[in-house]
Amino acid sequence: MTKTILITGANGEIGHGLIKKLAEDSQNKIVALDINSLDPDLSKLTLQFVKADILDNRLLDELFKKYHFDTIFHLAALLSTSSERDPVKAHHVNTDGAINILAIAEKFARANTKKVKFIFPSSIAIYGLPNLEVKKRVGKIKEEQYNLPATMYGCNKLYIELLGNYYARYYEKHKKSEQYLDFRAIRFPGIISADTLPTGGTSDFGPEMLHAAAQNKPYACFVRADSKIPFMVMPDAVKVLLKLAKAPSSSVKHHVYNVGSFSISAGEIAKYAHEINKIKITYKPHQKRQAIVDSWPEDVDDSEARADWGWKPSCDKTKAFEEYLIPAIKARYG
Ligand code: SER
């Protein structure tokens, strides 16, 4: 059956992977929105590309009227380091952007008595561990633990999770017992792609180190070698978004889920980078970025996602590096 899908922040890293995967099925009609131009190789995979600001309500309204979206992937956001540089701007882009599109999607769904799926990438940034000793002790964090973000980005993501839950489960419930907005969120770990590099994130040290190695450039890592957080490769990030979007409502028992793959330190990533090229890697911790990474969990407990809708990453750590990242990044740079 044909599905019409809206992707915001389409030209970002996840957008790249997601559009390519969705376009493999000709039944998917993709409308992509981004404040920047969309890469031409992605544009040709879409029904329409709209270059616009996520804060433009009138345009969003028109798009809903024109396309009657079945599913929305709301990816538009400023990442954690960018958000710390300008917290007020981050609040506007991340939070106001989300409430605009949530409210429009809910109104549209209710007016048309149509279920609209709203898939939202949240983040491990919603967690805030007070110190390294607690981080070590907690290990695999559960969804309800330490929801005390240390960054504006984390605050924004946590609030949007709550907003989504509100619009899906409570808003207008007194008028209609049925809910039409089907909000589902996952808390992503850091993501590493062989094809693209992130901008303005704090988990960027992982992808940056590997891509630097493939270009034979030295790399000054902005966190200590022992800094450890969970990561996932881009094909698994796309896989989990699609898996969650497809899951039957009866199996999605919570509005937000952890999803894990592997946990790794900067020093271990450096060893894999050396398998690409023996570049010089130094550690020059940036005080603020180090504090952010220290406040993020070492690993996530994703047993709820595994039990409820069958999440399973295709890569463990070794497979992620030896079978995907190292060969694919080498090939990318020739
Ligand atoms: N990768 C993101 C960042 O570093 C976290 O979700 O900001």
Side-chain angles (χ1 to χ4, degrees):
M1 208 174 73
T2 304
K3 287 239 179 297
T4 313
I5 299 164
L6 174 65
I7 303 178
T8 72
N11 199 47
E13 271 210 294
I14 299 180
H16 275 77
L18 186 63
I19 290 176
K20 285 185 192 146
K21 191 76 195 166
L22 282 169
E24 286 174 10
D25 181 346
S26 60
Q27 302 274 50
N28 290 329
K29 305 290 174 223
I30 305 165
V31 177
L33 185 141
D34 203 291
I35 197 154
N36 299 311
S37 299
L38 191 64
D39 287 352
D41 61 327
L42 292 182
S43 242
K44 57 179 190 249
L45 304 176
T46 67
L47 186 61
Q48 189 187 348
F49 168 63
V50 186
K51 188 171 176 179
D53 193 325
I54 189 69
L55 298 171
D56 186 343
N57 268 348
R58 186 131 46 103
L59 179 119
L60 288 173
D61 242 340
E62 280 163 18
L63 283 179
F64 271 86
K65 282 191 191 120
K66 183 168 175 192
Y67 289 112
H68 287 224
F69 297 116
D70 300 287
T71 306
I72 297 147
F73 292 92
H74 177 48
L75 311 179
L78 285 187
L79 292 182
S80 54
T81 293
S82 300
S83 296
E84 285 314 289
R85 288 187 189 128
D86 193 341
V88 175
K89 180 177 173 194
H91 176 87
H92 288 311
V93 173
N94 295 346
T95 313
D96 295 342
I99 197 167
N100 282 351
I101 191 158
L102 273 168
I104 290 170
E106 196 281 338
K107 192 174 106 193
F108 164 80
R110 193 156 33 88
N112 293 280
T113 55
K114 173 187 163 102
K115 267 253 185 246
V116 174
K117 282 186 185 152
F118 195 106
I119 310 298
F120 178 64
S122 188
S123 164
I124 50 161
I126 74 93
Y127 298 111
L129 283 322
N131 56 52
L132 287 175
E133 194 231 309
V134 176
K135 172 166 169 155
K136 185 108 212 113
R137 178 155 41 81
V138 169
K140 283 182 180 244
I141 205 157
K142 288 188 191 302
E143 279 87 349
E144 67 279 8
Q145 290 183 287
Y146 292 97
N147 286 198
L148 275 172
T151 58
M152 175 53 91
Y153 172 78
C155 293
N156 296 159
K157 289 281 183 186
L158 186 59
Y159 177 54
I160 300 162
E161 290 178 3
L162 297 172
L163 276 180
N165 189 48
Y166 162 75
Y167 273 108
R169 293 189 166 83
Y170 300 105
Y171 180 65
E172 295 285 15
K173 200 172 177 190
H174 58 289
K175 288 193 187 154
K176 264 209 160 96
S177 56
E178 280 212 63
Q179 269 69 59
Y180 294 106
L181 188 78
D182 186 351
F183 176 85
R184 306 170 176 196
I186 36 188
R187 290 181 184 156
F188 271 124
I191 299 174
I192 314 181
S193 170
D195 302 325
T196 51
L197 273 164
T199 35
T202 317
S203 56
D204 296 8
F205 63 89
E208 281 176 1
M209 209 183 288
L210 297 168
H211 284 254
Q215 297 168 84
N216 215 359
K217 290 182 182 159
Y219 185 70
C221 183
F222 57 81
V223 292
R224 296 183 314 269
D226 70 341
S227 307
K228 193 171 183 185
I229 55 168
F231 277 98
M232 178 179 279
V233 293
M234 186 57 83
D236 266 343
V238 170
K239 178 178 150 178
V240 72
L241 283 171
L242 298 178
K243 179 122 186 123
L244 179 64
K246 275 213 184 107
S249 300
S250 57
S251 63
V252 184
K253 296 181 184 132
H254 306 285
H255 72 284
V256 61
Y257 287 91
N258 279 343
V259 285
S261 182
F262 56 87
S263 169
I264 191 166
S265 69
E268 283 177 275
I269 298 177
K271 284 191 192 140
Y272 284 116
H274 281 152
E275 288 184 29
I276 300 175
N277 260 319
K278 290 261 177 280
I279 57 161
K280 184 169 182 214
I281 296 174
T282 47
Y283 296 90
K284 294 204 169 78
H286 178 281
Q287 199 186 2
K288 190 136 198 186
R289 296 180 105 183
Q290 181 69 62
I292 294 174
V293 169
D294 287 346
S295 78
W296 289 353
E298 195 172 286
D299 207 350
V300 290
D301 178 337
D302 63 358
S303 51
E304 302 265 14
R306 288 177 189 249
D308 288 0
W309 41 274
W311 163 241
K312 195 172 178 293
S314 35
C315 289
D316 60 11
K317 186 157 50 186
T318 310
K319 193 169 170 198
F321 284 88
E322 304 293 355
E323 292 181 29
Y324 167 62
L325 289 169
I326 294 176
I329 293 177
K330 270 187 180 167
R332 182 184 188 277
Y333 295 96

